[in-house]
Amino acid sequence: MTTSSQLPLPPFPPEGEVGKILLTEEQIQSRVAVLGEELARKYQGVTPLFVAVMKGSVIFVADLLRAYHGPVEFDAMVVSSYGDALRSSGVVKIVKDLDTPAAGRHVVLVEDIVDTGLTMQYLLNHFEQQGASSVAVCSLLVREGTDTAGLRIDHVGFEIPHDFVIGYGLDAAQIYRNLPFVGVFTGTVDH
Ligand code: IMP
């Protein structure tokens, strides 16, 4: 750690860690504005409960809430399906549940990316079992070719190819969530 205010900050992300920028900050912001409006129209007259699926949706949900014009409640749950690897462990685990009971609520699950759909399928079942009045899914990203037949992904920001991506909440081994764009990760996970 260095505290010098004289030296220029090193480049971030470092050279070679990010390849193609798939979505610029501007593209993301204008799409989020549209999603916010779409949701506000859909839930007119009720107060939905936005549930951020942490940690990946942290940036998205903050912007989406501000793009939502109307009364809305917010809660977060922490779910783990990937560990620190780049491949799914195939096991979904609720690390932290909601503080707010979901029974009788109109729940909007806010996700960063639907990849295999495993996490969403698990959470949809979870909230239906909890007695939510309705459960909708709003995902910033959906992987092209994901079998969404049995999955209700009601609101989608963008479809993206199969590359592992980082930024705007998405991480590689917990790093790079704070990039304002979404880009292809070309580094190693060894930080
Ligand atoms: P699913 O259960 O396979 O749909 O995976 C969903 C979760 O995997 C997401 O919420 C992310 O945390 C993680 N994930 C999937 N693809 C990526 C990626 O390209 N970059 C970062 N995280 C990813």
Side-chain angles (χ1 to χ4, degrees):
M1 210 153 61
T2 166
T3 51
S4 168
S5 56
Q6 305 302 314
L7 296 170
L9 287 166
F12 184 78
E15 192 76 19
E17 293 275 287
V18 185
K20 190 175 177 195
I21 307 293
L22 295 182
L23 302 167
T24 64
E25 187 172 359
E26 293 71 26
Q27 285 173 312
I28 296 170
Q29 291 305 329
S30 58
R31 187 72 189 118
V32 171
V34 171
L35 289 172
E37 161 130 22
E38 201 172 288
L39 287 162
R41 290 191 184 284
K42 178 172 169 180
Y43 291 101
Q44 265 184 80
V46 296
T47 303
L49 176 63
F50 277 26
V51 173
V53 185
M54 297 302 230
K55 302 172 196 171
S57 70
V58 61
I59 313 281
F60 178 41
V61 79
D63 284 344
L64 190 65
L65 282 166
R66 284 177 291 184
Y68 185 94
H69 297 277
V72 57
E73 277 185 46
F74 165 72
D75 204 341
M77 67 195 302
V78 181
V79 166
S80 154
S81 66
Y82 263 53
D84 276 348
L86 296 184
R87 304 261 298 267
S88 175
S89 65
V91 178
V92 180
K93 203 171 72 184
I94 295 184
V95 180
K96 188 217 159 271
D97 211 340
L98 297 186
D99 300 326
T100 323
R105 303 303 307 269
H106 294 284
V107 171
V108 179
L109 283 170
V110 183
E111 251 290 27
D112 54 350
I113 179 167
V114 174
D115 186 9
T116 62
L118 196 82
T119 309
M120 261 315 114
Q121 192 57 67
Y122 178 87
L123 291 176
L124 279 167
N125 294 341
H126 175 78
F127 283 107
E128 271 157 15
Q129 277 165 20
Q130 303 273 305
S133 292
S134 68
V135 190
V137 175
C138 178
S139 186
L140 177 73
L141 308 174
V142 172
R143 195 74 78 184
E144 259 168 30
T146 297
D147 181 11
T148 51
L151 266 183
R152 296 191 317 270
I153 309 173
D154 312 76
H155 306 271
V156 173
F158 304 90
E159 277 205 347
I160 58 152
H162 283 270
D163 314 277
F164 192 86
V165 294
I166 52 169
Y168 200 69
L170 291 108
D171 71 304
Q174 303 302 326
I175 309 293
Y176 298 128
R177 294 192 198 276
N178 56 329
L179 297 176
F181 54 83
V182 171
V184 177
F185 180 61
T186 49
T188 61
V189 287
D190 193 17
H191 294 287

